[in-house]
Amino acid sequence: MLRLHVAVASLFLESLAYSKEEFTDWECERTESKFFMWPSLRELAVTEASQMLRPLRSSPLLSSTSAEFGQMSSLWQAIFNECPLGTIFLAAMELGNCLADHSRRIEPCEDVGSFMMDTMFGRGIPIAVLLTASWPLNHALHMPFLYAHTPEDKISKWYSIQNDPALNCEGDGIWPKIQKQLDSGIGDGLPLLEHLRSLIFSPEVQNLEAHQLSFPGDFVPGCAFGWLAVLLVKAGISWHTETFSYFSYEFLLKPYLAELKFWEFLGSGRICMYHRTNNEMGFLGRELLQDAGSLGSLTTLRLEGSPILDGQLIFRATAAAVLGEGVRAYVVKGETRLLTYAVYVWGKDFTKWLPAYITRFHSLGVHNLMVFGDEGAYEACSTVSGSVCLHLPTKNSLHRYTIPLALMNLGVDAFVIDFDIYPFRDPTPILISELESYDDAPELLLSGSYGDACICNALALYRSTTQLREFTRGLLDWLYENPFPHGVTQKALSAFLGEKPVQKVHSKEPWVVKAEMLALTLPPRPSIAWSLLDPGVQFPTSAKLETSGWAGDPEDIVIYHFFHGSWLEAESALAVNDTGRDELDLFYNTTCDGEPQTCEERRQQRILEHLMANRKGDVRPFTDRSCYTLPVNEIDAHYLDSENLGKGFLDKRRSAL
C-alpha cells in the first residue's frame, strides 16, 4: 500500500473546521432549492437512471449545444452550489443528450463535458464521495452507445479513442490481463476488489508502483487507463482497510483524472463504484452540533420553551426518555450526574434476541438502558416491560457517535455499548470506581485491545463536558465528509484521541495506546482527558482476532464483547473468517423444553466453556504493539516538488510510443 510522507502532508489536505451548524448535504436530502426538488429527483434517478436520458430533455435547464450551455453556465453554477452530486448527475445526463442529438460528435458538447469534468475533479469533492454517491453517477457516466461501434464508425473520434495505443493495452505486459478481468468484473457485476486482487498485488504492479515512487517526474504508465484502473482499485482496497493509504492514492489519482478530457474519461468505459456507506444521520445537524441548553439534572430539564420542541422526532423522543426512565443519577467524586446506557440495533438476525438482551440488563438492576433501532427493534423492545425504546430508522455506523452526542447535548453521560456483548455484572459501580481511580475523572473511558496497544470502541463512556462534545462533533463531521466503511469509525476515534491516555493515581502498569493512522492531516480539536477500561478481564473481547482475548478469573468479567463480525463481511474488501456465529444463541437463548433449572445450568456451563476457550492466561501482558496496518511504501518529500504532477501524462505516453 501507499502513503504520503507525513512531513509533506500539509501540502495535500487542509484542516477541516468542525464548528458549524449543519453537515455538508452531499446527497441533497435537506436542500431547499429554487430549481429542483432534489430528494424527489434523486429518488427518480436511482430507480430510473437507465431510462432518464430522453425524459430529462423536457427540463428547461438542459440544453443541447455548447453555445446554449454557455448561455446557461451561471445557472449551472447556481445549481452546483445547491447540490454538487445532483448537478454532476444532471450534467452527465445533459452530456449524453447532447452527444446523442449530435450523432456522437464531440465539438458541440465540449462545454458541458468540461463542466462535468471540472465539477467532479476540480472542485475539491473527495473521490470517495463521488464513488460512494447514492446518486447513480455510474449509470449516468456509463454510456455504452458512446463506445459501442460498428465498422463504419472507424473514422469517428470515439473509434480513435478506443484504439489509441496511448490509452489501451493490447500486447503490453500485464495490461491485457487486467483489462480482460476489468471487463469481466464490470460486465458481470462482480466485486472488483476481490476479483482483481491477485493482479493488483502482483509483482509486476508492485514494481510499477515502486518505479513511480522512485522516478515520479519520469514515470509514464505503460497503459494510461489501465494504470488509472489499478489506482482506483487499490484506492478501493485501502478505502476499506487503510485510510491513510487511500488518501495517498487519491493524491495520485486527482491530477491524472483532472488531466482527462471528457471523451477520454467516458471513452475508457472504466467506471468503478465503491461500497456505499449510508451517512443519513437521523438527527438534525443543529441537534448534534449545538447544545440543547443547560440541562444539568432531571429537576431542571424542561421541554417548554426549548428548541427541543422544534427538533426531529427521534431527538424529542430522546429528550423525553431523559425526562422519564432513561437515565439514573450517579455520583462521582461528590458530583451528581445523569447516566444512561445506550445501544443501537437493527435487522431481524439481531432484534430477535433484543428482549433477552434487555431482560439481562434488567436482571442486573440496570433499567436506564435506551434502545435505539429500526421498526423491528422498536417492536421487539416494546415487548419488555419497563424498557426504553426509541425508533431511529436510519441504519449506519455513525450512530455510535450521533447517539452519545445527542445525549451529551442534553446533559447526560452515555455509556454506549455494542449489541454483541453480554453483561455479567452491573457496570455502574465499576464505572464509578474507575472514574474515581484518577486524580481528575476522565471525560471518556473506552475499552481496549488485549494483544496490542489499541482502543476498541465497542464500549465507551461519554461524560457530558464542553470539550468532549466539541471533540465528538469534530470527529462526526470528519466521518460525514469522508464516507468510509464501518470499521474506519474506530480508526478515526483512535487517530483523533492520539496516544496520551490519562494514567491512574496508583497504577501497577501504565496504559499504553498507539494511535492508528487515518489521514494526512486532521482537523483541530480540543484536548480531552481520556483513558481505558480494563481490556484484560473486566471489559474483554473474545479471541477472534490475533490481538483479542482475555486473562484472569471469569468472575471478574463485567461486560464481555463476543464480537459478531457480520459488518466485516458486508464492508470489507478482504475475506472474513467469522466462525462463531452462534454466540447470540449461546448467551441469550434462555428458552428451555425441559427442566428450567437444568437447562440454565447447561447454558451457564456452555458460556463458561466459551470463556475459557478464549482465555489467554492469568494476566494481560504489557504490550506496546502498534495497531495492525498494511505494509506501505512512503512517498518522500521530493515527490511533491513538481507542481505539475501528472500533467501531460497522456502526451508523455504518446511520445514514448
Side-chain angles (χ1 to χ4, degrees):
M1 285 296 173
L2 193 65
R3 69 173 182 176
L4 293 174
H5 198 284
V6 177
V8 296
S10 60
L11 297 177
F12 176 43
L13 289 181
E14 296 180 357
S15 294
L16 296 173
Y18 62 85
S19 180
K20 58 182 184 179
E21 295 183 358
E22 190 53 85
F23 296 100
T24 303
D25 192 7
W26 289 116
E27 303 292 352
C28 320
E29 294 164 351
R30 305 176 300 276
T31 301
E32 295 181 3
S33 173
K34 301 176 182 178
F35 308 104
F36 291 101
M37 295 180 64
W38 290 110
S40 298
L41 180 58
R42 181 168 62 97
E43 183 177 350
L44 176 64
V46 169
T47 57
E48 303 291 342
S50 61
Q51 306 297 323
M52 287 186 71
L53 282 176
R54 287 303 172 187
L56 277 176
R57 166 56 63 214
S58 61
S59 169
L61 179 68
L62 299 181
S63 55
S64 60
T65 68
S66 179
E68 290 169 338
F69 179 82
Q71 295 171 6
M72 306 184 75
S73 60
S74 60
L75 182 58
W76 278 94
Q77 182 57 55
I79 69 166
F80 178 81
N81 293 337
E82 275 192 358
C83 180
L85 296 183
T87 303
I88 292 170
F89 176 81
L90 290 178
M93 290 287 98
E94 164 60 357
L95 178 60
N97 279 324
C98 182
L99 291 168
D101 285 350
H102 293 87
S103 300
R104 293 175 292 195
R105 287 177 55 231
I106 288 172
E107 293 77 13
C109 310
E110 287 194 43
D111 280 357
V112 66
S114 298
F115 176 82
M116 184 193 73
M117 296 298 289
D118 176 59
T119 52
M120 282 196 294
F121 305 124
R123 302 292 184 94
I125 299 176
I127 289 180
V129 169
L130 285 174
L131 297 182
T132 62
S134 62
W135 287 88
L137 302 183
N138 57 330
H139 290 290
L141 298 174
H142 187 70
M143 303 175 186
F145 69 87
L146 297 181
Y147 42 88
H149 301 287
T150 56
E152 57 266 26
D153 289 320
K154 288 184 178 180
I155 62 171
S156 73
K157 195 162 188 176
W158 293 112
Y159 184 87
S160 65
I161 291 168
Q162 289 298 302
N163 293 275
D164 186 339
L167 307 177
N168 296 283
C169 319
E170 291 81 357
D172 190 2
I174 195 175
W175 300 115
K177 191 183 298 184
I178 287 181
Q179 181 168 334
K180 181 179 179 180
Q181 292 206 14
L182 265 177
D183 290 340
S184 173
I186 294 173
D188 298 337
L190 300 173
L192 286 179
L193 303 184
E194 196 64 38
H195 191 59
L196 287 168
R197 184 170 178 79
S198 61
L199 278 175
I200 289 301
F201 291 100
S202 67
E204 295 96 327
V205 171
Q206 299 285 61
N207 289 338
L208 282 170
E209 191 172 285
H211 182 74
Q212 183 176 30
L213 296 179
S214 302
F215 307 100
D218 300 325
F219 178 76
V220 179
C223 170
F225 285 161
W227 187 238
L228 289 181
V230 166
L231 291 178
L232 276 168
V233 175
K234 296 196 85 164
I237 293 174
S238 60
W239 178 77
H240 282 81
T241 57
E242 202 60 64
T243 58
F244 203 96
S245 293
Y246 163 78
F247 285 112
S248 300
Y249 285 115
E250 183 184 57
F251 175 79
L252 291 178
L253 279 164
K254 279 188 171 181
Y256 285 154
L257 294 172
E259 183 75 7
L260 294 176
K261 305 298 184 183
F262 79 85
W263 54 85
E264 295 164 339
F265 180 71
L266 294 178
S268 73
R270 302 286 178 259
I271 307 298
C272 302
M273 299 301 291
Y274 298 174
H275 168 83
R276 173 66 187 161
T277 296
N278 180 357
N279 277 0
E280 295 180 10
M281 295 290 197
F283 298 92
L284 295 176
R286 68 173 182 269
E287 296 165 350
L288 297 173
L289 300 175
Q290 301 174 29
D291 290 347
S294 178
L295 311 175
S297 70
L298 282 172
T299 58
T300 61
L301 176 57
R302 295 292 181 269
L303 295 182
E304 293 80 5
S306 168
I308 295 171
L309 288 177
D310 299 324
Q312 291 281 84
L313 178 61
I314 181 58
F315 191 63
R316 299 200 305 270
T318 303
V322 171
L323 282 170
E325 298 299 316
V327 302
R328 293 288 186 273
Y330 77 128
V331 180
V332 176
K333 291 185 177 291
E335 179 188 13
T336 301
R337 302 176 63 89
L338 300 177
L339 174 66
T340 189
Y341 294 84
V343 63
Y344 60 98
V345 59
W346 60 79
K348 61 182 181 181
D349 289 342
F350 297 97
T351 56
K352 69 179 181 180
W353 302 111
L354 186 53
Y357 183 97
I358 298 169
T359 300
R360 176 60 184 173
F361 273 93
H362 287 185
S363 72
L364 298 173
V366 179
H367 295 271
N368 51 328
L369 171 68
M370 293 190 187
V371 178
F372 295 79
D374 63 5
E375 184 175 354
Y378 184 82
E379 292 177 356
C381 175
S382 300
T383 64
V384 181
S385 176
S387 59
V388 182
C389 314
L390 300 105
H391 184 208
L392 179 57
T394 55
K395 306 170 186 178
N396 66 74
S397 59
L398 295 185
H399 289 325
R400 67 170 62 249
Y401 301 124
T402 64
I403 290 171
L405 183 53
L407 288 163
M408 286 193 291
N409 290 348
L410 291 166
V412 176
D413 298 347
F415 190 37
V416 181
I417 51 181
D418 278 3
F419 189 69
D420 54 349
I421 61 93
Y422 186 78
F424 283 91
R425 301 160 60 190
D426 179 359
T428 305
I430 310 302
L431 294 177
I432 294 172
S433 175
E434 283 294 300
L435 291 169
E436 292 188 336
S437 66
Y438 296 86
D439 281 333
D440 295 311
E443 297 163 88
L444 174 67
L445 285 176
L446 67 163
S447 53
S449 175
Y450 177 87
D452 55 28
C454 304
I455 68 165
C456 173
N457 62 356
L459 307 167
L461 173 64
Y462 294 81
R463 304 180 74 226
S464 181
T465 68
T466 300
Q467 292 87 346
L468 186 54
R469 290 194 297 271
E470 288 300 300
F471 176 93
T472 309
R473 288 164 186 159
L475 171 64
L476 188 58
D477 188 38
W478 190 93
L479 287 167
Y480 188 84
E481 295 293 325
N482 298 274
F484 290 102
H486 171 100
V488 175
T489 61
Q490 178 168 294
K491 290 177 178 285
L493 177 58
S494 173
F496 270 56
L497 288 172
E499 300 183 348
K500 295 183 179 179
V502 177
Q503 302 297 322
K504 294 184 178 184
V505 179
H506 304 291
S507 60
K508 298 179 181 178
E509 296 287 352
W511 292 126
V512 178
V513 174
K514 297 295 182 69
E516 296 206 47
M517 295 187 299
L518 179 69
L520 307 179
T521 62
L522 292 174
R525 55 211 179 273
S527 176
I528 63 169
W530 65 279
S531 196
L532 296 181
L533 297 165
D534 171 37
V537 60
Q538 288 184 323
F539 300 93
T541 297
S542 66
K544 287 192 177 180
L545 302 175
E546 177 191 354
T547 56
S548 57
W550 69 280
D553 191 332
E555 293 183 358
D556 293 329
I557 296 177
V558 181
I559 295 179
Y560 181 74
H561 177 218
F562 51 78
F563 189 60
H564 192 291
S566 59
W567 62 267
L568 285 172
E569 285 188 345
E571 298 191 353
S572 177
L574 308 176
V576 177
N577 180 21
D578 185 15
T579 58
R581 286 306 181 85
D582 59 346
E583 287 97 337
L584 284 164
D585 182 87
L586 171 67
F587 284 101
Y588 289 111
N589 188 350
T590 57
T591 60
C592 183
D593 294 329
E595 174 61 36
Q597 181 64 32
T598 302
C599 286
E600 179 59 20
E601 290 175 357
R602 290 175 180 171
R603 189 177 77 90
Q604 292 298 330
Q605 181 60 34
R606 288 195 298 271
I607 289 175
L608 179 60
E609 290 172 357
H610 171 87
L611 293 177
M612 299 311 291
N614 287 267
R615 185 177 182 271
K616 290 190 173 181
D618 295 326
V619 64
R620 177 182 184 242
F622 173 81
T623 177
D624 60 358
R625 177 179 175 177
S626 296
C627 306
Y628 172 77
T629 56
L630 293 175
V632 295
N633 295 314
E634 295 274 357
I635 301 179
D636 214 338
H638 76 276
Y639 186 67
L640 302 181
D641 289 344
S642 172
E643 295 181 358
N644 297 315
L645 175 66
K647 189 170 180 59
F649 78 99
L650 288 178
D651 293 335
K652 292 178 183 177
R653 165 66 177 150
R654 291 188 178 101
S655 64
L657 294 173

